[in-house]
Amino acid sequence: NTDGREACMLTRWAFKRRLLFQIKENCIEFGSIDLKTKPYGGAQKRGFPDANYFRNFKNQLKAKGITVDLFTDDEKKFIEEGFQIKNFKQDFRLGQSHLQLICIDG
């Protein structure tokens, strides 16, 4: 959905700016952006469900200067439309479908 794709692009910007984590002495140290590390356990255990996660995540990124205002036109289009099928061809001899997806270069 659009909220998930927006969070994906925001995460990408945070990664590019090295805000998500650092590797120190063979150990990963999380940055100041809260990341979910488990699909369970709730907010108190860095997991889901967490009804406020996306709102809190966006606020943390905003405090670091990362907002949707940074998005390129391609990123905005991806958020609205998702991956788009550019070419679809059925190869009946092999019984396989070939898809070419439009991806954002990064």
Side-chain angles (χ1 to χ4, degrees):
N1 66 22
T2 56
D3 291 334
R5 289 189 296 266
E6 182 179 295
C8 178
M9 291 296 102
L10 289 167
T11 302
R12 187 171 178 242
W13 276 92
F15 179 81
K16 286 181 179 182
R17 293 196 178 173
R18 301 175 186 214
L19 297 173
L20 298 181
F21 62 88
Q22 295 180 348
I23 300 175
K24 293 185 175 182
E25 299 178 23
N26 298 324
C27 173
I28 296 175
E29 182 179 290
F30 285 104
S32 58
I33 307 300
D34 183 33
L35 298 175
K36 293 297 180 188
T37 58
K38 298 176 187 164
Y40 52 84
Q44 64 276 17
K45 294 186 179 179
R46 290 187 167 234
F48 288 101
D50 183 351
N52 299 316
Y53 177 67
F54 287 115
R55 185 185 70 227
N56 294 340
F57 179 72
K58 286 174 70 172
N59 287 336
Q60 290 171 351
L61 291 173
K62 184 177 181 181
K64 302 285 184 182
I66 298 177
T67 66
V68 296
D69 297 333
L70 296 171
F71 292 168
T72 65
D73 289 340
D74 285 340
E75 288 168 330
K76 291 175 187 173
K77 184 176 179 182
F78 169 73
I79 290 168
E80 291 303 315
E81 300 176 9
F83 289 108
Q84 298 297 306
I85 297 174
K86 183 177 181 184
N87 184 24
F88 179 78
K89 178 176 82 173
Q90 180 72 35
D91 186 338
F92 291 100
R93 291 175 305 157
L94 300 175
Q96 297 176 344
S97 299
H98 302 279
L99 296 176
Q100 183 178 5
L101 298 175
I102 299 171
C103 298
I104 296 171
D105 185 24

